[in-house]
Amino acid sequence: MLQSKKRWNVQECDERLVNEFVENLNITPLVASLLLNRGMTTVEAAREFLHVDAQTFHDPFLLHDMDKAVARIQQAIDHNEKIMIYGDYDADGVSSTSVMLSALQQLGADVDFYIPNRFTEGYGPNKAAFDKISAGGYQLVITVDTGISAVEETAYARELNFDLIITDHHEPGPVLPDAYAIIHPKLPGSTYPFKELAGVGVAFKLAHALLGELPEHLLELAVIGTIADLVPLVDENRLIARKGLDYLKLTKRTGIEALLSVCGVKREEINEDTIGFAMAPRINAVGRLQDADPAVHLLMTTNAEEAKGLAKEIDALNKERQQIVNDITEEAVEFVESMYPPDENSVLIVEGEGWNAGVVGIVASRLVEKFYRPTIVLSIDSENRIAKGSARSIEGFDLFANLSKCRDILPHFGGHPMAAGMTLNSDDVEELRRRLNEQASNLLTEQDFIPITSVDTVCTTEEITLENIEQMSALAPFGMHNPKPKVLIKDVHTTSMRKIGANKNHLKLVFEDSGVSVDAVGFGLGYILDEVSPIAKVSLVGELSINEWNNMRKPQLMVEDISVDEWQMFDYRSAVDVKRFFQQVFTDQMKVVAFHASTIDKYKSLLPMEHVVLIQDEEQAKACMFAGEQIVLLDLPPSQKWLECLFAQGIPSRIYAIFLTEEDHYFDTIPTRDHFKWFYGFLAKKGPFDLKRYKEDLAIHKGWSKETIDFMAKVFFELEFVTINNGLISLVKNSAKRDLIESATYRQKQQQIEIEKNFIYTSYVQLKNQFQDIFKRSIE
């Protein structure tokens, strides 16, 4: 057995709808099931999803206050009022700022931008920033990707006599700012058809309304924040992502071209991963370590030399950010394991003095990945007694809702169910830890702390074809609520499996079923090789892809998780290096079972003694509970019956067969009844025989071993056929007739020969079958 790393939540489909989709949309059943699992329950909805390019954007004026905002901005442009765009320092905020700047510059506005410093100002609008903006003569401020929680700051803006238009997408609180206008798809009472726009999506809607026509040239900016902010890629977000990626491939923006260059990405290779794993991390790195202004300048510049310099600067900052993240993560893991172990804490709150507040969100994500607990990572400013941090969550624990219950100690916080940011007094950290753990203990069960993998469908090897995989690409771009499809392949045999990579930490395998073979690769899964036995049936979860090499195209599975549902046997009998086994293969999950104290004594220096179990009779064997355990059989018991007793209470998940032996009974000269008959006649004819003096001569004469003669003498002694006195063996006259089987030594020898034959001198398959038979008899 091999336990999967995560819980596999396999989606189920209505076969009737699958068939309906196949008939009406000319797609394969596999793609039909993927559409159904993404919430497309009608043929029309599925057709719209597949043909996203044919869709249109919603009317921007359906958003509350849009007409009011557009009129005020147009008034500012007409009267040459100075307009300030107030943004945020992440990729969504930077792209939102760039969208709004581009639209207003196109309209001839006198416009500039302001992004607060994460470290000195924190998230969102602040009074000091508003003082500077007011002093600069700005009469209109437009927030992008921020502002919905800025109730006090908005009131302060009124005191400063400038108008504030808020555009945001974060969760609205119970009290809304009293702004000139608020454009937000989630406002109470909002009738806008789609609620899940990113901050840049909201900015794009305002640009659309201002320009009077869809600003397709701004989609290359809108796609960056939409994908980077992990909003659901459905409805308008899907349209922004799909069209935006197309425009990104054709970009003429000097800064984006320079950014793609330092990322090492070719235009034709651009996809959602380009943004998620290459562009967005670099843009985010700027605001995580310093002012985010260079990121906006990069997206807005038309000067090639400036763009090249900014791109290199941003790339260097990203490398620095990566090192800082690694260092803090190492400290945070140590903090958790030593101070607040996960088995005692449902929510992890980790704090460190002087930690870079710009990267704590990434660290929180890493801790969630490692410990699978809702996690908050805080940077402590001890001088000002302030803690700033970010939170990431798991399924079943809504961060925004639970943090909202702690508003009295959270003067500044905002976010989503799965991610949030906050500032609080450092003296309140322990109280926040206590409250959130109490709330989580009432909400979450043990099952909730096992990571989940959502699997779209069970797939057969016959379905893993180039056609199916190519059709699946019609579901792209992938992201939140439209993840890359994951499939489950159940109970297939592996025809080859090996470790690959410079450090041998990746896995390459070929699996087969129904005569169809498929290649697979598992990055970081090299260790699995030692945990899958030769003939085990494996189940695999992963993503299907096409491997193109040397002008050949083949289907391939990128494996993420593996399980084996049946018990497994691992064969270490042949010339086993006991030292290597216990140094390289043995784990703390295993128990070592021995039946002879002499075996333990001989190998004591190598054995993990705290894991060794010595069994010396059948009753001890019956008392053992090895159901679901991993056991190492160090040697063989005196008889097979002991093994039946050992597994009477359940089948282990794995058996590692070593079977060390002191003697090799199977290949000894095995005395037959004719041997015993001749030896008896010899003693009757020769009279008393001196075993000490003449045993070797007799052995040479008969071609036997000396051990064979000793064995027969002991059997005769136990049957009271002879007496043995100081090596002199003599027949007992008129002894009663008895069968050889009545001798304990004879029986033990026969049992040892039989058990060695069945458990040492057999093939792997024969050995596994032997255990299968034992398991059956054990439960009968």
Side-chain angles (χ1 to χ4, degrees):
M1 187 171 289
L2 172 63
Q3 187 67 43
S4 59
K5 294 183 298 181
K6 298 183 179 181
R7 285 180 286 158
W8 296 351
N9 181 21
V10 183
Q11 307 294 313
E12 295 183 358
C13 289
D14 184 329
E15 285 301 317
R16 180 186 59 81
L17 286 175
V18 169
N19 293 331
E20 186 179 340
F21 279 24
V22 169
E23 291 175 12
N24 288 277
L25 298 171
N26 192 30
I27 57 177
T28 65
L30 178 59
V31 175
S33 65
L34 295 176
L35 287 165
L36 285 165
N37 288 337
R38 280 153 175 71
M40 312 301 145
T41 56
T42 66
V43 170
E44 188 53 39
R47 182 177 285 112
E48 287 183 6
F49 189 85
L50 288 173
H51 303 290
V52 61
D53 294 331
Q55 294 180 37
T56 57
F57 285 90
H58 301 307
D59 182 349
F61 286 97
L62 294 175
L63 282 161
H64 178 74
D65 275 355
M66 182 63 83
D67 51 351
K68 189 176 180 182
V70 168
R72 178 64 185 88
I73 294 169
Q74 192 58 57
Q75 175 188 325
I77 295 171
D78 291 343
H79 292 84
N80 294 317
E81 294 180 50
K82 296 177 72 174
I83 302 173
M84 179 65 76
I85 310 302
Y86 195 107
D88 188 26
Y89 35 66
D90 66 2
D92 190 15
V94 166
S95 56
S96 300
T97 302
S98 301
V99 162
M100 194 60 21
L101 279 172
S102 298
L104 291 176
Q105 286 175 356
Q106 186 175 335
L107 290 170
D110 183 357
V111 61
D112 202 350
F113 74 94
Y114 185 95
I115 295 180
N117 183 287
R118 183 192 292 263
F119 306 100
T120 59
E121 298 175 80
Y123 171 78
N126 65 82
K127 293 179 180 179
F130 279 1
D131 282 336
K132 293 177 189 175
I133 290 168
S134 178
Y138 291 90
Q139 296 162 280
L140 176 62
V141 175
I142 305 169
T143 74
V144 289
D145 190 36
T146 189
I148 196 62
S149 300
V151 176
E152 290 184 18
E153 292 79 6
T154 301
Y156 189 64
R158 284 189 174 277
E159 293 178 20
L160 295 174
N161 292 317
F162 64 76
D163 290 331
L164 181 65
I165 295 173
I166 293 174
T167 78
D168 200 356
H169 72 123
H170 294 94
E171 297 293 329
V175 178
L176 295 177
D178 185 19
Y180 183 89
I182 299 177
I183 301 174
H184 195 304
K186 290 184 179 179
L187 286 181
S190 172
T191 58
Y192 192 71
F194 184 58
K195 311 294 184 185
E196 303 297 334
L197 290 168
V200 73
V202 180
F204 183 79
K205 301 305 295 188
L206 177 54
H208 184 178
L210 282 168
L211 296 171
E213 60 182 9
L214 185 71
E216 295 204 3
H217 61 292
L218 298 180
L219 283 167
E220 61 185 334
L221 294 172
V223 67
I224 295 172
T226 296
I227 290 176
D229 216 52
L230 302 179
V231 290
L233 289 191
V234 296
D235 202 279
E236 271 192 312
N237 287 340
R238 177 168 167 77
L239 194 53
I240 290 171
R242 184 67 167 262
K243 287 180 175 290
L245 287 171
D246 289 340
Y247 276 96
L248 204 56
K249 292 176 182 178
L250 303 172
T251 187
K252 296 225 175 12
R253 281 189 177 257
T254 310
I256 290 181
E257 290 178 323
L259 183 58
L260 290 171
S261 178
V262 298
C263 293
V265 176
K266 298 176 182 176
R267 285 175 181 264
E268 63 272 16
E269 295 173 348
I270 289 174
N271 59 23
E272 61 271 24
D273 288 342
T274 304
I275 295 172
F277 299 105
M279 298 176 71
R282 286 170 170 81
I283 294 172
N284 280 326
V286 186
R288 292 186 190 282
L289 301 185
Q290 58 172 49
D291 286 328
D293 292 16
V296 177
H297 290 312
L298 176 65
L299 295 182
M300 295 298 296
T301 185
T302 57
N303 184 291
E305 283 304 310
E306 181 187 18
K308 187 176 179 180
L310 286 169
K312 284 184 177 180
E313 175 189 341
I314 287 171
D315 189 53
L317 285 170
N318 187 52
K319 290 185 173 74
E320 182 183 345
R321 186 271 307 168
Q322 290 171 328
Q323 186 58 53
I324 293 171
V325 168
N326 291 339
D327 293 343
I328 296 177
T329 300
E330 190 174 322
E331 291 182 46
V333 168
E334 184 178 345
F335 182 96
V336 169
E337 293 176 339
S338 61
M339 299 288 292
Y340 298 97
D343 55 352
E344 298 174 12
N345 290 268
S346 299
V347 176
L348 303 178
I349 299 183
V350 184
E351 68 265 26
E353 190 168 335
W355 282 353
N356 186 305
V359 303
V360 291
I362 303 174
V363 177
S365 294
R366 290 197 180 180
L367 295 186
V368 170
E369 185 177 338
K370 181 174 179 62
F371 298 114
Y372 204 68
R373 296 285 190 278
T375 301
I376 299 175
V377 180
L378 298 166
S379 174
I380 304 296
D381 179 348
S382 56
E383 185 177 336
N384 296 309
R385 296 169 60 194
I386 289 175
K388 293 181 180 179
S390 290
R392 299 293 183 270
S393 197
I394 64 174
E395 291 293 332
F397 191 79
D398 185 323
L399 268 179
F400 186 82
N402 281 282
L403 288 171
S404 294
K405 297 176 183 178
C406 306
R407 286 181 181 274
D408 58 310
I409 57 173
L410 291 174
H412 298 286
F413 88 96
H416 311 285
M418 296 299 287
M422 70 208 67
T423 301
L424 68 156
N425 190 304
S426 59
D427 295 338
D428 291 328
V429 171
E430 191 57 42
E431 175 62 14
L432 181 65
R433 180 181 285 117
R434 185 194 66 77
R435 290 191 197 180
L436 290 180
N437 268 288
E438 183 178 326
Q439 290 165 212
S441 65
N442 294 327
L443 288 170
L444 302 174
T445 66
E446 284 300 314
Q447 191 78 353
D448 290 318
F449 295 124
I450 302 173
I452 301 173
T453 289
S454 184
V455 180
D456 290 274
T457 187
V458 177
C459 181
T460 65
T461 52
E462 293 99 320
E463 291 178 294
I464 303 176
T465 64
L466 292 174
E467 180 190 8
N468 262 327
I469 298 171
E470 286 166 345
Q471 279 200 14
M472 284 166 52
S473 65
L475 277 62
F478 299 111
M480 293 293 288
H481 291 205
N482 181 35
K484 289 184 178 179
K486 287 185 175 63
V487 300
L488 166 62
I489 294 96
K490 295 185 68 175
D491 298 332
V492 292
H493 286 290
T494 58
T495 57
S496 73
M497 189 181 297
R498 58 191 174 91
K499 295 180 182 181
I500 59 172
N503 298 317
K504 301 297 181 186
N505 57 338
H506 308 308
L507 189 68
K508 171 76 174 176
L509 65 148
V510 178
F511 60 88
E512 182 182 48
D513 192 43
S514 303
V516 179
S517 295
V518 180
D519 292 345
V521 175
F523 290 108
L525 298 180
Y527 68 92
I528 292 289
L529 181 66
D530 300 320
E531 300 194 32
V532 177
S533 55
I535 61 173
K537 286 186 175 181
V538 301
S539 294
L540 309 159
V541 164
E543 297 175 2
L544 294 173
S545 64
I546 296 175
N547 182 22
E548 299 190 35
W549 181 78
N550 203 21
N551 295 322
M552 295 282 292
R553 303 175 79 240
K554 291 177 63 178
Q556 178 175 259
L557 179 72
M558 305 306 294
V559 182
E560 295 183 9
D561 209 353
I562 300 178
S563 75
V564 178
D565 292 334
E566 60 187 359
W567 78 275
Q568 296 190 85
M569 190 192 73
F570 296 85
D571 189 356
Y572 287 89
R573 297 172 298 169
S574 299
V576 63
D577 180 348
V578 182
K579 183 176 182 180
R580 188 188 69 84
F581 176 85
F582 284 106
Q583 287 182 345
Q584 299 180 18
V585 179
F586 182 84
T587 69
D588 288 341
Q589 283 73 49
M590 298 179 191
K591 293 181 179 177
V592 181
V593 176
F595 300 98
H596 304 281
S598 59
T599 310
I600 296 175
D601 289 340
K602 184 174 180 179
Y603 295 96
K604 192 170 185 178
S605 63
L606 300 176
L607 298 177
M609 294 304 296
E610 67 275 16
H611 295 277
V612 175
V613 179
L614 175 62
I615 296 172
Q616 295 183 294
D617 56 48
E618 291 183 9
E619 290 305 312
Q620 276 187 302
K622 286 180 182 176
C624 291
M625 175 63 77
F626 289 131
E629 299 278 358
Q630 300 179 31
I631 64 169
V632 180
L633 294 178
L634 191 65
D635 55 16
L636 280 170
S639 76
Q640 197 163 297
K641 179 66 177 174
W642 287 41
L643 292 175
E644 293 174 15
C645 295
L646 192 67
F647 304 124
Q649 298 195 50
I651 298 172
S653 64
R654 300 183 195 176
I655 293 177
Y656 293 83
I658 295 181
F659 298 150
L660 299 169
T661 56
E662 292 289 325
E663 302 176 57
D664 200 336
H665 297 272
Y666 185 66
F667 285 107
D668 284 347
T669 301
I670 304 173
T672 65
R673 289 185 181 273
D674 286 339
H675 287 82
F676 281 100
K677 184 177 180 181
W678 185 92
F679 190 43
Y680 188 89
F682 171 79
L683 293 175
K685 185 176 180 180
K686 296 292 184 180
F689 181 74
D690 192 336
L691 288 173
K692 286 185 177 179
R693 292 181 63 184
Y694 301 115
K695 176 172 56 178
E696 187 171 353
D697 294 338
L698 179 60
I700 293 171
H701 173 70
K702 292 298 293 179
W704 296 345
S705 67
K706 289 183 290 183
E707 290 75 18
T708 299
I709 296 171
D710 286 337
F711 173 72
M712 290 191 292
K714 189 175 181 181
V715 170
F716 281 170
F717 180 79
E718 289 179 357
L719 295 174
E720 299 178 342
F721 291 168
V722 299
T723 60
I724 302 176
N725 185 13
N726 197 27
L728 195 66
I729 183 168
S730 306
L731 283 180
V732 175
K733 292 182 180 180
N734 302 317
S735 59
K737 284 189 175 182
R738 298 176 67 182
D739 196 284
L740 293 173
I741 200 69
E742 294 181 57
S743 163
T745 296
Y746 185 85
R747 289 197 306 273
Q748 185 179 2
K749 183 75 169 180
Q750 294 300 316
Q751 289 171 350
Q752 286 289 340
I753 291 169
E754 185 67 16
I755 200 168
E756 285 183 13
K757 181 182 77 173
N758 292 337
F759 290 89
I760 295 181
Y761 304 108
T762 52
S763 68
Y764 175 90
V765 173
Q766 289 171 328
L767 180 61
K768 185 165 187 184
N769 289 337
Q770 285 287 344
F771 277 106
Q772 283 290 160
D773 292 340
I774 286 173
F775 294 156
K776 288 179 184 177
R777 289 196 294 273
S778 297
I779 59 176
E780 286 177 354

